Amino acid sequence: MNKNFTFTIKNILLDENYQPSDNTRITTNFANLARGESRQQNLSNALKMIDNSFNALAYWDNPRGDRYSVELEIISVDMNIEGSDQTFPSIEVLKTNIVDHQTNERIEGIVGNNFSSYVRDYDFSVLLGEHNKGQSKFSIPDDFGVLHGNLFKHFVNSTIYKQHFNKSPVICLSVSDNKTYNRTQNQHPLLGFEYLPNESSLTEQYFKKMGLQVRYFMPPNSVAPLAFFFFGDLLNDYSNLELISTISTMETFQKIYRPEIYNANAVAGNCYQPNLKNLDHSLTQIVYDREERSMLAIKQGRFAEEHFIKPYQTMLEQWSANYAI
């Protein structure tokens, strides 16, 4: 049954000249920045923020703070459905590459970072709403996220993934504004202090079905913890520069997208609850349409329903029920 899907990987450089393709989820952080009159300046400013953040963390043998720069590749994964000439845009992630200007070396970073998926849009923006329509109490379908999780694991364990990437993905997201996070005494030199949530979030549960575990760390120079989703051992499977590339990239996006949390003027304390209504924060000089982003998630969920979920529903259910790594 696992042979019903194969994957095609495409990559494109994310620089100030980037323009989203027709298949890119336009709610994706970097795609949203690349729209409108300020698109080129948005991208240029965001990339400079990433480089500055990287050099601030990679400070050793870097007295001028300009030794490194980060190159970003957008990795788009199309799913090929066996017996059909149709493909479906299944996953889009970012890959970091580090340029060491002192040694003229280009160092491979981490794949994952930002995570986009039409099927996830369907699950959260369409399926959940329909399941709870007319209900007095919110609930989650029993099989919520199972198909998406199996498709993701199938991709990560595929031959084509292993041909393109040396290590498992790491996905970095913001913390949840309806959870409380408590600082522990565990401190990593680059990831910073570890935080523990008071309870599991729906996002945690969803990503667990993708085979991913999660840890929360607040890196040095940061004001709030980030959620790191990963396979294996986050602290030992990746080099210092690899981890810094993910921290600098994703914290920059969060400062732009969620400045109330990640560009707040006060640092998270021992007991921290994120607040998206926090007025004590600074804005970046980057235009980002957060309201449009939320509205488009529903549209993209409907796209997945129309072009993937409904046409192949029976086959997808059978495949997922019999899926095994």
Side-chain angles (χ1 to χ4, degrees):
M1 292 297 292
N2 288 359
K3 294 183 180 180
N4 281 339
F5 302 112
T6 56
F7 301 95
T8 303
I9 293 176
K10 302 173 185 175
N11 65 309
I12 183 173
L13 189 65
L14 175 56
D15 59 16
E16 62 185 37
N17 298 311
Y18 164 71
Q19 296 194 33
S21 72
D22 292 339
N23 286 336
T24 292
R25 283 172 69 253
I26 49 180
T27 58
T28 300
N29 287 331
F30 51 79
N32 190 294
L33 297 182
R35 304 174 69 209
E37 295 180 1
S38 304
R39 55 170 304 281
Q40 195 165 43
Q41 193 64 45
N42 280 346
L43 291 167
S44 178
N45 288 346
L47 294 170
K48 186 61 178 175
M49 285 175 65
I50 292 169
D51 287 348
N52 289 341
S53 175
F54 188 101
N55 282 291
L57 288 170
Y59 56 84
W60 59 93
D61 292 336
N62 187 9
R64 294 169 57 91
D66 60 358
R67 176 171 176 173
Y68 301 100
S69 59
V70 179
E71 290 182 355
L72 297 177
E73 291 180 84
I74 301 167
I75 307 298
S76 300
V77 184
D78 286 342
M79 186 183 304
N80 311 302
I81 303 163
E82 190 176 274
S84 168
D85 59 357
Q86 301 297 313
T87 61
F88 182 75
S90 59
I91 296 167
E92 199 161 59
V93 293
L94 286 178
K95 182 175 182 293
T96 59
N97 297 290
I98 305 133
V99 179
D100 185 336
H101 298 288
Q102 181 172 303
T103 63
N104 293 320
E105 184 181 7
R106 191 170 182 272
I107 304 160
E108 189 170 355
I110 287 178
V111 66
N113 301 288
N114 196 82
F115 178 75
S116 300
S117 163
Y118 276 101
V119 176
R120 184 176 67 166
D121 281 341
Y122 166 76
D123 284 342
F124 278 91
S125 299
V126 177
L127 182 61
L128 265 186
E130 292 181 349
H131 175 77
N132 285 282
K133 189 179 296 182
Q135 302 298 316
S136 58
K137 185 178 179 181
F138 179 82
S139 65
I140 301 167
D142 291 338
D143 59 350
F144 184 70
V146 172
L147 171 63
H148 181 269
N150 288 341
L151 290 172
F152 181 77
K153 288 183 286 189
H154 185 40
F155 169 62
V156 172
N157 286 281
S158 67
T159 300
I160 194 168
Y161 180 92
K162 294 171 183 176
Q163 289 172 344
H164 281 78
F165 311 113
N166 295 323
K167 294 186 178 182
S168 298
V170 176
I171 296 165
C172 184
L173 305 179
S174 66
V175 286
S176 172
D177 63 330
N178 59 7
K179 301 291 180 288
T180 300
Y181 300 83
N182 292 289
R183 185 187 296 183
T184 72
Q185 293 303 307
N186 189 35
Q187 184 180 15
H188 184 272
L190 295 172
L191 291 168
F193 279 105
E194 184 166 18
Y195 279 73
L196 296 177
N198 64 325
E199 60 181 335
S200 176
S201 68
L202 182 55
T203 298
E204 275 187 35
Q205 297 164 29
Y206 193 81
F207 276 72
K208 187 175 182 180
K209 292 176 182 176
M210 297 162 61
L212 296 162
Q213 53 187 312
V214 64
R215 295 178 75 172
Y216 297 88
F217 287 93
M218 185 169 73
N221 310 323
S222 301
V223 298
L226 292 159
F228 295 87
F229 292 86
F230 59 94
F231 297 94
D233 186 341
L234 176 67
L235 275 60
N236 293 302
D237 289 349
Y238 303 93
S239 71
N240 287 341
L241 293 184
E242 287 173 338
L243 290 173
I244 292 173
S245 71
T246 286
I247 294 167
S248 58
T249 298
M250 296 313 300
E251 187 178 49
T252 292
F253 283 131
Q254 296 301 348
K255 282 181 177 180
I256 297 165
Y257 175 47
R258 284 202 161 111
E260 300 91 341
I261 296 174
Y262 291 98
N263 222 25
N265 295 324
V267 179
N270 290 331
C271 182
Y272 174 63
Q273 181 165 6
N275 180 10
L276 283 172
K277 295 181 179 179
N278 171 36
L279 298 178
D280 186 22
H281 67 274
S282 302
L283 295 176
T284 64
Q285 299 299 307
I286 297 173
V287 179
Y288 191 99
D289 194 332
R290 189 158 66 186
E291 183 177 349
E292 181 190 46
R293 184 183 191 271
S294 299
M295 292 169 58
L296 288 170
I298 299 173
K299 182 178 179 181
Q300 290 166 171
R302 292 295 182 190
F303 174 88
E305 180 182 43
E306 179 183 350
H307 295 278
F308 185 64
I309 300 297
K310 284 190 173 179
Y312 304 103
Q313 186 166 7
T314 301
M315 185 266 286
L316 289 170
E317 290 173 353
Q318 291 175 348
W319 178 85
S320 190
N322 290 280
Y323 177 78
I325 297 176

